[in-house]
Amino acid sequence: MKSNDVILQTATKFVLFIILAFSVYMFFNGHHEPGGGFIGGLMTASALVLLLLAYDIEMVRNILPVDFKLVTAAGLLTAVGTGLGSFLFGVPFLSQTFDYFTFPVLGELELATALLFDVGVYLVVIGVTLTIIQTIGEDQ
Amino acid sequence: MTNFVILPILIPLLTGIILLFFPKKVTFQKVLSFIASVLLVIVSVMLVFQVHNNGIQTLELGGWQPPFGIVLVADMLAILLVSTTSIVSLAVLLYSFYSIDAEREKYYYYPFFQFLITGVVGAFLTGDIFNLFVFFEVMLIASYILIVHGGTKVQLRESFKYVLVNVISSALFVAGVAYLYAVAGTLNMAHLSERIGSLETQAPILTVIAVLFLIVFGLKGALFPLYFWLPASYAAPPSAIAAIFGALLTKVGIYSIFRTYSVVFVHDTGYTHQILAVLAALTMIFGVVGAVAHQDVKKILVYNVIVAVGFVLFGVSTLTEEGFMGAIFYLMHDMVIKGALFLLIGAMVVVAGTSHLKDMGGLIKHHAQLGWMFFTAVMALVGIPPLSGFIGKLLLVQGGVSAGQYWIVAAMMVSSLLVLYSMIRIFLNGFYGKIQLEHANQYGSTKGLLLPSAILIAVSAGIGLGAEMLYPFVATAAETLLHPEIYIDAVLKE
């Protein structure tokens, strides 16, 4: 029997962007409020899981033609890379710094190198979650 | 250079990450991981000399001073073990090139090998007890994958038990850390050591925590009666992986007992170290009973891993300089020689086509090199003078006698004899006796499999012959352990 998922699929099209926006908000907020790379990454992954539920693996692969194992590796490389920067400046490994910058629209913002480490965490969490789900979900 | 101390952790970690990008390019994987392993050996040996010349090296991660940040401490004990680890891992890597099949190599074998080394080295170098837990998990998760990697039936069954035991012991580890943090309010080992000295009234709960940590590390390091998981699970994976497990993984548990029982928990040594001594003696006895009882070459060797745990921990429990030095010598020797023996046994199983002693025989006819290398390794294991096992055992006996533990020294001598019996039985039955092989390469060839073990046997002979040269290094390590003030001063810089 061919099932009709039109309600689920239409709702997903709207809800997906709300979840993605919220996950990015969570990610950038981590320094001053609850949030950060881990929860942000999990939420982004959960948005993609919703996409997997509403459509199928092939569809998600067409939308996001990336190998999530490589996303994990890229995240790890980013996180370790922020530590490697300390070799250039002659400071202890994983030292961090921050400064205030003025942007055209957003005004004055604090930018910390800890964010770069968090980008690594974010990518690793997305990569690992989706690798697990896709590997289990695929038929042999 | 500021960040020199972290290089032994960073090299395998970064290599592992880069290898994740190219899983199918096996040649590239081999070349890069070989370069990284050689680099690790060079860096860690350089660190040994740096520690020897300039005293304990520390690195405050992120520039946060201890006890507030995580600090990496390269004292002599840690860095000697890191160097030994790097040499063993290089040899096992070379062995993997020839013994691990292409199917396994394509599915992230080398990255996980590097992550395992990252975990082991990190556990040796850290100066923070929660960071130690994290590196334990890095090491264990990589080992979970390597033990099941390939997915044969026996591997699946044994990895299930292995994971179950280690998850439970990790949970106990966290509970122990939580208790310790509640009592002492700090997680930095040097700071803990200092705090515990001033917490006289809390002594009973600290003793309880000390025993809890003994249970945790005893589970990781296979101490009696917590070694039950080890024999079957170490016999399951391919011999390269078994070698790295047998040579390194239990040693991290032993090192942790070594560290905590000489730096942190020294408030009630009469009780805690007596327990340790008795458990060490029982570990030797029960390990050697297993080694004598089995007919499977892999099982015999795996039970010998347990015996060595007993020897080293007995040295720790004596709290004398000779005992500590003996334990350090024996620990280094055992990492090298267990690596060599696992690799040789692996080669034996390849050429004999079976791991059962009754089905082997006469291997010496076609594989004389293998036979005599095995014989040399056995002599080193038991402690025949020119080779590496002798000096460690001698110092252990001296330490035991000066601590008045005559019964345990006697148990040690007897179990050494039985270790010799169990291993020489492999030699006599497997290499002599009725010839089962018609042609040299009837079941498989030893191509490339002998060189790694030759390297390790050479290192073992080096430890034995160069004991005089190695002595000042080990003496420094033992002195730091005997006088925790040196460690505390180096870390907290008071």
Side-chain angles (χ1 to χ4, degrees):
Chain A
M1 196 184 97
K2 193 173 181 299
S3 64
N4 198 338
D5 294 335
V6 70
I7 296 176
L8 179 64
Q9 293 184 347
T10 315
T12 299
K13 279 174 194 162
F14 290 102
V15 173
L16 184 73
F17 290 101
I18 301 171
I19 300 176
L20 280 176
F22 188 58
S23 74
V24 172
Y25 170 78
M26 278 294 218
F27 170 68
F28 281 113
N29 243 16
H31 206 67
H32 294 293
E33 279 161 56
F38 185 75
I39 192 169
L42 268 186
M43 281 196 150
T44 307
S46 69
L48 298 176
V49 170
L50 180 65
L51 206 59
L52 276 169
L53 283 176
Y55 298 91
D56 52 26
I57 285 186
E58 288 309 313
M59 176 78 175
V60 176
R61 218 169 256 154
N62 284 336
I63 300 170
L64 276 174
V66 287
D67 181 355
F68 284 102
K69 291 195 277 294
L70 294 184
V71 174
T72 314
L76 280 171
L77 201 59
T78 317
V80 177
T82 61
L84 287 179
S86 61
F87 279 88
L88 297 177
F89 299 104
V91 288
F93 192 74
L94 286 177
S95 292
Q96 297 163 18
T97 182
F98 64 94
D99 206 349
Y100 294 92
F101 295 94
T102 312
F103 289 92
V105 185
L106 302 164
E108 194 184 48
L109 281 179
E110 180 193 3
L111 288 185
T113 53
L115 186 72
L116 294 174
F117 188 85
D118 246 14
V119 171
V121 176
Y122 182 77
L123 291 176
V124 169
V125 173
I126 295 175
V128 168
T129 316
L130 284 161
T131 307
I132 293 172
I133 287 169
Q134 285 192 341
T135 317
I136 297 174
E138 266 167 16
D139 289 334
Q140 285 295 322
Chain B
M1 203 162 86
T2 6
N3 285 321
F4 203 51
V5 176
I6 203 169
L7 280 180
I9 302 175
L10 213 52
I11 292 169
L13 177 61
L14 208 55
T15 313
I17 293 170
I18 293 169
L19 293 181
L20 282 179
F21 284 99
F22 313 100
K24 307 291 175 208
K25 297 193 169 134
V26 174
T27 319
F28 174 75
Q29 300 249 333
K30 285 179 177 175
V31 171
L32 188 63
S33 45
F34 178 71
I35 293 170
S37 286
V38 173
L39 214 57
L40 183 63
V41 174
I42 296 169
V43 165
S44 47
V45 171
M46 275 165 75
L47 258 173
V48 170
F49 284 101
Q50 204 172 358
V51 173
H52 184 61
N53 295 331
N54 307 329
I56 296 174
Q57 303 284 309
T58 61
L59 172 64
E60 293 152 8
L61 289 182
W64 295 95
Q65 279 176 4
F68 305 109
I70 291 172
V71 58
L72 296 182
V73 188
D75 70 340
M76 196 47 100
L77 171 64
I79 200 64
L80 280 177
L81 294 181
V82 169
S83 312
T84 320
T85 303
S86 65
I87 293 167
V88 173
S89 69
L90 178 63
V92 176
L93 190 75
L94 285 174
Y95 189 87
S96 307
F97 291 167
Y98 290 94
S99 69
I100 300 291
D101 47 285
E103 203 55 29
R104 281 192 169 99
E105 282 177 326
K106 278 182 188 157
Y107 283 91
Y108 303 97
Y109 174 78
Y110 295 110
F112 284 114
F113 186 88
Q114 297 291 338
F115 289 142
L116 186 74
I117 304 301
T118 310
V120 173
V121 171
F124 286 145
L125 282 178
T126 185
D128 181 284
I129 211 150
F130 196 77
N131 198 229
L132 177 68
F133 169 75
V134 173
F135 275 119
F136 254 110
E137 288 305 303
V138 172
M139 173 187 96
L140 287 172
I141 289 173
S143 77
Y144 298 158
I145 292 161
L146 287 177
I147 201 172
V148 77
H149 200 240
T152 59
K153 195 175 168 190
V154 59
Q155 278 182 296
L156 290 168
R157 188 180 66 227
E158 296 309 329
S159 68
F160 186 76
K161 294 180 202 163
Y162 179 74
V163 172
L164 192 64
V165 166
N166 277 300
V167 165
I168 290 169
S169 74
S170 294
L172 279 177
F173 195 166
V174 176
V177 170
Y179 278 123
L180 196 57
Y181 190 61
V183 173
T186 181
L187 289 175
N188 182 290
M189 286 193 218
H191 199 218
L192 263 175
S193 173
E194 200 183 48
R195 279 267 172 95
I196 280 174
S198 64
L199 284 171
E200 295 290 325
T201 52
Q202 302 271 19
I205 185 77
L206 285 171
T207 309
V208 172
I209 296 168
V211 174
L212 183 58
F213 271 99
L214 184 63
I215 293 170
V216 170
F217 296 136
L219 263 167
K220 312 266 190 204
L223 194 60
F224 174 85
L226 305 166
Y227 67 78
F228 54 88
W229 55 273
L230 186 135
S233 47
Y234 277 26
S239 46
I241 300 171
I244 205 88
F245 280 23
L248 301 181
L249 294 199
T250 52
K251 273 60 177 185
V252 183
I254 302 172
Y255 165 80
S256 306
I257 295 177
F258 214 138
R259 184 62 82 195
T260 48
Y261 269 59
S262 63
V263 175
V264 183
F265 301 116
V266 285
H267 56 284
D268 185 12
T269 52
Y271 184 73
T272 51
H273 286 63
Q274 190 58 38
I275 291 183
L276 190 58
V278 171
L279 288 184
L282 289 170
T283 309
M284 300 167 196
I285 295 164
F286 279 83
V288 89
V289 166
V292 170
H294 275 276
Q295 286 293 327
D296 184 304
V297 288
K298 284 184 180 174
K299 286 277 170 62
I300 295 173
L301 187 56
V302 165
Y303 273 100
N304 275 310
V305 172
I306 299 170
V307 182
V309 173
F311 287 169
V312 175
L313 289 181
F314 171 58
V316 179
S317 76
T318 59
L319 275 178
T320 58
E321 199 181 351
E322 294 91 359
F324 277 168
M325 287 181 65
I328 297 165
F329 261 119
Y330 200 82
L331 194 52
M332 289 166 64
H333 142 78
D334 194 62
M335 285 164 88
V336 173
I337 209 68
K338 283 287 149 57
L341 279 169
F342 269 102
L343 297 183
L344 287 168
I345 292 269
M348 254 180 98
V349 174
V350 167
V351 296
T354 171
S355 68
H356 210 276
L357 209 47
K358 277 185 184 147
D359 303 332
M360 289 185 188
L363 292 180
I364 200 111
K365 188 184 169 207
H366 295 298
H367 300 281
Q369 269 183 321
L370 177 65
W372 293 113
M373 273 164 69
F374 182 78
F375 183 76
T376 321
V378 170
M379 290 301 123
L381 175 72
V382 182
I384 304 297
L387 294 156
S388 64
F390 173 68
I391 181 83
K393 238 172 230 177
L394 180 70
L395 286 163
L396 282 175
V397 168
Q398 279 182 358
V401 168
S402 63
Q405 305 273 28
Y406 301 110
W407 281 111
I408 301 180
V409 171
M412 205 176 121
M413 302 316 284
V414 173
S415 52
S416 288
L417 203 63
L418 290 173
V419 163
L420 177 65
Y421 168 71
S422 74
M423 295 308 285
I424 215 73
R425 206 171 42 135
I426 298 181
F427 185 72
L428 289 180
N429 283 353
F431 287 98
Y432 285 96
K434 196 166 145 272
I435 295 170
Q436 307 270 1
L437 288 178
E438 297 304 322
H439 314 288
N441 295 331
Q442 191 174 349
Y443 295 101
S445 87
T446 56
K447 183 172 166 285
L449 299 185
L450 293 182
L451 177 70
S453 0
I455 295 174
L456 288 179
I457 290 171
V459 171
S460 152
I463 294 176
L465 294 170
E468 193 71 38
M469 274 174 355
L470 212 57
Y471 195 85
F473 295 92
V474 176
T476 320
E479 203 195 335
T480 315
L481 290 169
L482 210 56
H483 304 284
E485 311 87 72
I486 304 173
Y487 184 87
I488 297 170
D489 287 345
V491 175
L492 299 178
K493 301 202 172 61
E494 280 160 350

